[in-house]
Structures are given as structure tokens and as C-alpha cells.
Amino acid sequence: MTPVRVLAVASEVYPIVKTGGLADVAGALPIALKAHGVEMRTLMPGYPDVMRLLAGAEEIRRWPDYFGGPGRLLAGSRDGLDLFVLDVPHLYERPGNPYVTADGVDWPDNGVRFAALSRVAADIGHGLVPAFVPDIVHAHDWQAGLAPAYLHYDDRPRPGTVMTIHNMAYQGTFPRELIGTIGLPWGAFNVNGLEYFGGISFLKAGLQFSDRITTVSPTYAREIQSDEGGMGLGGLLRERADVLSGILNGIDISVWNPQTDPHIAYRFGAGDLAFRAANKAVLQQQFNLDSAADTPLLGVISRLSWQKGLDLLLEAIPTILGEGMQLALLGSGERDLQDRYQAAARAHPGRIGVVIGYDEILAHLIQAGSDALVVPSRFEPCGLTQLCALRYGAVPIVSRVGGLADTIVDIGEAGTSGHDATGFQFAPVTADALAGTLRKANVTYHDKLTWRRLQLSGLSTDVSWRNRAGDYAALYRGIVTGRNA
């Protein structure tokens, strides 16, 4: 097996910094790749939490002026991850969320902040760190999208490049004037470069100049080539369809393991699913729900947004109540949705419980104690919560889009697919279709034998990174072989 060196570039990495699924992938993939002969180091910004956790990191480069202030490049390790950290206090030493202010507004200098990250990624690609010269630079989402562009416009031999799209909805768009500030040539501002509806797009840069493009499920790879799914970049992705592929995400099965999980009330495995009832009782208590062992309990762990279809679930609340079901929801997002869910909880105490925010421990308990996990997204590149649900015996109820369609086998289609059913899919993505599927799930729940089969099929599904990491390793080696030919 030929060793391959890969520099991953990501704006967040679990368990150090996390706002969404990108962090989970960036944290789990490097570890899974070790078994495939891939040495991956990850470059990330030096946010306050990162600097605190890597207090003993080694300084390997210092700049008196890096994009407007002093900066350093550090190297260190944490939680099995080998990291490079770009420590530029005037760009990253800020409280709270990596991308937005306390008021939820994008930091006004985000373009410069993440151009700086991409610039140092390109420099590492060119040999800035002699002890680690990568064969591949792998950029994740728009925050790293300029790395392939910097490598393209540098007139030097360069490593191979991969751009992974985790969500097309976030494209890193900025005014055209930023080009001069971030050190790219003005010639980059054209339709075959960074130009995007009169401004520039970091994501487009990565899609335009990477050797290979991946996204996080095969179905999403097809969806984003449409005008609707591509959100302005569908034409470019159709042009580059020959280098675009979808590789399903996995989850870290050492973190999401009901047999060893320290965050749940009672641990269990496939042979002792009866212990889920004890977790359900604790979950009902945590959400101030009525204690009712035989009442179907729906769980939701989600950003509250239009994309995630959480407005559709609100419309389905009369169905949930009419069917005698309960709802436990953990999430935050759009203010209107937060307010409406909290109002629903006040109006229906004991039946609907809502916690606004994100709590990792509570997320694990929802997976371990809810009977079904609802993911009604209008579009979903891959989704991770439904994979965790399979691992914990919570039956997924999902829309038939993106990675949800690729990872859940609908109870009505198991025979034709050649796989055992693991949950419920609904289409089209409407409130009526969701409500109908909730009613169907409720009937199935009371058929204990069929419900147990769904749970056991989910528990036997491989949701790990093992095979997915092999797909990435093959992709990297293909690029290296092609460039050396």
C-alpha cells in the first residue's frame, strides 16, 4: 500500500470546535484513514478554544504581518488528530461561534479570515513545512475553497487537490474588491474563475480549480447538478461531472456506541434493547413529558431552519397529538421557529418538550431513548443524526432526499432494494406527506415484532467510516497516480 500524505483544511474539527456535521467528518476521517495508509494532518484556525486545548503546540513559522497582523503556524496533536493551527489573533481570537457575532451576524471580515486559512494551506502544499509536504490538499466547504485557487494561480508545481461540499447552501460570497486584499490576481475575476453574480464565491473557486470534487452522498451528488439543487453552481457542476462523486459520511462508532456511551442513563446492545425503555423514561423526565412507556416518543436533534423542514414538523403537530405520540426536540436556529416550538410546548405540556440550544449529552440521550428520530429536511447532503439513530435503535423517519435517501431503507421498499428495512421515508417533502408517514409509523410501532425488526436491522447497519475512508484513500491514490503519469 503506497503511503499518501494529505493536508485537510477545515474551519471546525470535532471534538475541538463544532457547529455542525463538518466538524464530525473532519474529526473522524483522519483517524479512519490511518488503516488505509493515509497520513492526514488537518489545518484549522486558532480560535480561543483551539489555543487553549493546544497550549503546548510547537511553533514552526512566524510572520510579523499575516493578513493585517502578526501570525504563527503551530503544530500539535489532540484526541488522536495531528493538527496545524493558524494562530492569527486579530482574525480568530473572538468569543463564541467561529462564523458569526453574538447577534448571529456574519463577522464582516470573514472573507479575509478564511482566505488566510486557505493561503497557508497552499503554502504548506508548496513545502512550507519540510517535514510534511502533502501529496494532496483536501479542502472542506467554502471556508477552505480558496486553497485550490491559490495553488492554481501560483506558477509552481503543486500537489493534487480535492474539494468536498458539505452543504451547497453556504457558498462564501463576497464583494469583488476582496480579490486585491487577499492576494489573488485580478485575472481571477472572470466566469471561469471566482466571479459569481458580480461578486466572488470561495466555494466556486474550490469547485473550479480542484482536481476532484466530492460531496457527502451519491444522491446529493446528482441533486446538486440541477439548477435548483446547485443553487447557482449547478451548471459548473454539470460541466465538471466527470470529476464529481458522492462518498457517504460515516460516524465515529467509538463516540456513538450505546454499549459504552457515558452520556446515556443505561447502556445496551442489540441483545438487550429492553434497556432502551429505561433511557426513554429518563428522556421523558428531562423534557417534562408524561411518563408513558407505551407512548411513541419522537426525537428531533436539528438546526431549526427551513432547510431542515422544521416548519413542516410544526404543521404535523396536530397529527402527533392526535396519534397519541410525544415529541422531544433539541435545537436552535431561526427565531420564529424557536418561538413557535416553545409555544407548542407550553400549549401541550407533557406531550411536547423543547430545549433550545445544543447539548451533546442530551443529544446522546435522545438517540438512546426516543422510539423514532424525525429528519424532515427539504435537502440534506448526507445527515448524521439518522446514522446515529440506526446505531442506537431509534427508527429514522426521513424525507427522501440526499443522504437520507441513501442511508435509510423504507419499510415499503425493502423487498425491491434487496436490503432489510431500517425506517420510513416520505416524499414529496410536504407537511401532508410527513403527517401520513407519522401515522404509518405509529401503526407500525404498535406491531412490536415489526418494530423490533426495524431496530435490529438498523443496529446491524455499518455506519462507520471503515468503508467510506477506503473510498477517500482510493480517490487520493487515483489523483497521485494521474498526476505522476
Side-chain angles (χ1 to χ4, degrees), residues 61-142:
R61 185 65 184 258
R62 179 183 289 266
W63 299 274
D65 186 345
Y66 198 82
F67 285 75
R72 301 183 300 161
L73 182 64
L74 310 176
S77 298
R78 181 79 187 190
D79 299 300
L81 297 165
D82 296 318
L83 300 169
F84 290 123
V85 175
L86 181 60
D87 175 29
V88 186
H90 72 281
L91 297 180
Y92 306 127
E93 193 176 286
R94 301 174 188 183
N97 187 286
Y99 315 118
V100 299
T101 69
D103 297 326
V105 178
D106 288 351
W107 292 109
D109 59 345
N110 271 350
V112 175
R113 297 173 75 222
F114 294 108
L117 184 70
S118 292
R119 177 68 264 180
V120 80
D123 290 339
I124 294 171
H126 283 309
L128 179 68
V129 183
F132 184 83
V133 180
D135 302 295
I136 303 287
V137 172
H138 186 164
H140 290 276
D141 264 354
W142 74 262

Side-chain angles (χ1 to χ4, degrees), residues 19 170 300-314 327-342 353-358 374 376 378:
T19 70
Y170 302 97
V300 175
I301 307 164
S302 180
R303 187 171 72 252
L304 304 186
S305 69
W306 181 88
Q307 178 212 327
K308 297 293 185 179
L310 270 297
D311 57 320
L312 304 178
L313 187 61
L314 271 171
L327 174 65
L329 179 142
L330 170 66
S332 62
E334 296 171 10
R335 177 69 64 180
D336 177 62
L337 288 174
Q338 292 184 174
D339 292 345
R340 291 170 67 190
Y341 273 107
Q342 289 176 311
V354 172
V355 173
I356 298 299
Y358 183 76
V374 184
R378 284 185 169 87

